[in-house]
Amino acid sequence: MTDTKNLTQLGTNVETPQSPEAAVLETVPFSRGDGPPAIVRFTCPEFTSLCPVTGQPDFAHIVIDYAPDTLLVESKSLKLFMTSFRNHGAFHEECTVMIGRRIIAATKPLWLRIGGYWYPRGGIPIDVFWQTGAPPEGAWLPDTGVAPYRGRG
């Protein structure tokens, strides 16, 4: 059974953090076992942040794939972290890379990639892709499932 005694958010009523910096990404132990590494995917199709210049909301479909080593991201803490961006002003590129780096800092995965599929700002959709290096050998990497921009689906 997975050790969950150190989790402070799962199963409790937790307020949305006021900023991504204030959000806590919690982890649980993971046993990789033999064979190729597992790939874990989180999809956030309704991600929201704020334009740092106008304060207007920006919307994205975020897809995170990572190959955990010994720690998994606890999903409620990830949801609260992602929601905290609703009050955060930053450009698309900053938000996307910040999410990836925070997950790396929390879990120290074998590999991580993140795709931020941002809806148009000024008529131009901005897609941001970032990864830590080559994917692990033997890992199955499915397509992200996000359509190239034509209204995003």
Side-chain angles (χ1 to χ4, degrees):
M1 181 171 213
T2 302
D3 180 6
T4 60
K5 68 179 177 281
N6 293 325
L7 298 178
T8 63
Q9 300 172 90
L10 185 62
T12 64
N13 186 11
V14 180
E15 295 291 321
T16 300
Q18 291 301 303
S19 70
E21 295 81 11
V24 176
L25 279 176
E26 296 187 327
T27 61
V28 294
F30 177 68
S31 178
R32 283 186 37 217
D34 295 331
I39 300 296
V40 176
R41 171 168 290 168
F42 290 108
T43 304
C44 185
E46 298 176 350
F47 182 84
T48 308
S49 66
L50 299 175
C51 172
V53 176
T54 66
Q56 294 296 308
D58 288 322
F59 302 94
H61 186 140
I62 305 288
V63 179
I64 304 159
D65 291 323
Y66 77 106
D69 188 14
T70 61
L71 296 171
L72 297 171
V73 175
E74 191 283 309
S75 61
K76 181 176 182 180
S77 72
L78 180 67
K79 178 177 71 173
L80 290 165
F81 170 62
M82 299 295 273
T83 302
S84 74
F85 280 86
R86 290 181 180 172
N87 301 318
H88 182 72
F91 290 115
H92 302 334
E93 298 84 352
E94 279 182 79
C95 287
T96 304
V97 174
M98 175 192 262
I99 293 165
R101 289 184 184 198
R102 281 291 302 275
I103 294 170
I104 289 168
T107 65
K108 297 171 184 47
L110 301 171
W111 174 81
L112 178 139
R113 76 173 174 190
I114 182 168
Y117 300 86
W118 294 82
Y119 290 84
R121 177 193 287 173
I124 299 173
I126 299 172
D127 294 339
V128 181
F129 307 102
W130 186 77
Q131 70 181 32
T132 59
E137 188 175 331
W140 177 58
L141 298 175
D143 182 81
T144 62
V146 179
Y149 192 75
R150 291 216 191 325
R152 288 278 190 248

